[in-house]
Amino acid sequence: WRVFSAYRLYYMHEKIIPLAVEHDLKDPRTGESCRFDLIAFIEGHEGLAPGTYNIEHKTAGRFDHVTLEGWQNDGEVIGQNTLWQHLGLDHRFGPLKGTIVNLLGKQKEPRFHRTFVAPDSFRIQSHLDDLRRWGGLMELSKTLDNWPRARGNCIGRYGMCEHYDHCASND
């Protein structure tokens, strides 16, 4: 409640018109899906041109460079922009100006940060190429019944993966 109240007070003077909240989307041809936290028309604010924006709400335990600025290459944001284009949401909500990632820091005193993301065509195309490659690798792994280990994920921020012992042994 503390976090929600702080967020509400911090952004209370913004002039936005909600167009959709928690909007689920699925491409019937590919099965790709996403959920938009908020699709809104912004009348112009903090240097943003008036128009339709995807607004993502995120929380963070710390405000380091990766947390604040890593959204330019985030698969969720790029995927949302891709599906917006492929499914013609321009006709329903208007042309998408970009994504606004609103970060709320869960520090003792809540902090706020906003990052604007507008993936270019190169980033979108390379994301689609990567998805195709990963899909092909998954099909190959299914066929061979042999799944490669992603060792970079063995130990992360929250400790060891639950399968660590299995992967580290000869099982």
Side-chain angles (χ1 to χ4, degrees):
W1 183 254
R2 175 182 66 87
V3 170
F4 169 76
S5 296
Y7 187 89
R8 184 179 51 113
L9 288 171
Y10 190 81
Y11 290 112
M12 69 188 284
H13 296 294
E14 287 195 331
K15 297 179 191 240
I16 66 170
I17 301 165
L19 303 175
V21 177
E22 300 289 327
H23 184 67
D24 290 319
L25 190 62
K26 184 172 185 177
D27 187 336
R29 298 164 296 190
T30 64
E32 292 176 32
S33 64
C34 70
R35 181 187 48 79
F36 293 91
D37 289 350
L38 174 64
I39 298 170
F41 184 85
I42 296 181
E43 296 177 357
H45 183 74
E46 293 182 12
L48 296 174
T52 302
Y53 290 86
N54 166 30
I55 302 175
E56 284 294 308
H57 303 287
K58 306 289 185 189
T59 58
R62 60 180 178 254
F63 273 20
D64 57 11
H65 179 72
V66 173
T67 303
L68 298 178
E69 303 303 329
W71 302 100
Q72 301 296 334
N73 203 35
D74 181 72
E76 177 186 4
V77 171
I78 296 171
Q80 289 170 333
N81 281 266
T82 302
L83 282 176
W84 186 284
Q85 291 176 3
H86 286 188
L87 297 179
L89 291 183
D90 288 5
H91 302 297
R92 182 170 177 192
F93 298 115
L96 184 65
K97 294 282 188 184
T99 296
I100 297 169
V101 180
N102 283 334
L103 279 173
L104 179 123
K106 299 184 286 185
Q107 296 82 359
K108 187 173 184 177
E109 285 292 321
R111 293 173 55 195
F112 302 89
H113 179 80
R114 174 172 278 168
T115 300
F116 174 72
V117 182
D120 55 22
S121 58
F122 168 79
R123 211 169 269 146
I124 289 173
Q125 188 57 52
S126 89
H127 177 73
L128 294 172
D129 292 345
D130 290 343
L131 289 175
R132 274 192 294 281
R133 278 196 283 294
W134 280 112
L137 286 171
M138 289 177 71
E139 287 303 315
L140 177 63
S141 295
K142 282 182 200 174
T143 302
L144 298 174
D145 193 27
N146 185 343
W147 299 88
R149 293 176 173 91
R151 296 187 193 283
N153 297 319
C154 293
I155 300 173
R157 179 175 170 190
Y158 301 107
M160 291 184 179
C161 167
E162 64 184 81
H163 305 289
Y164 182 86
D165 290 331
H166 169 74
C167 293
S169 69
N170 288 332
D171 290 348

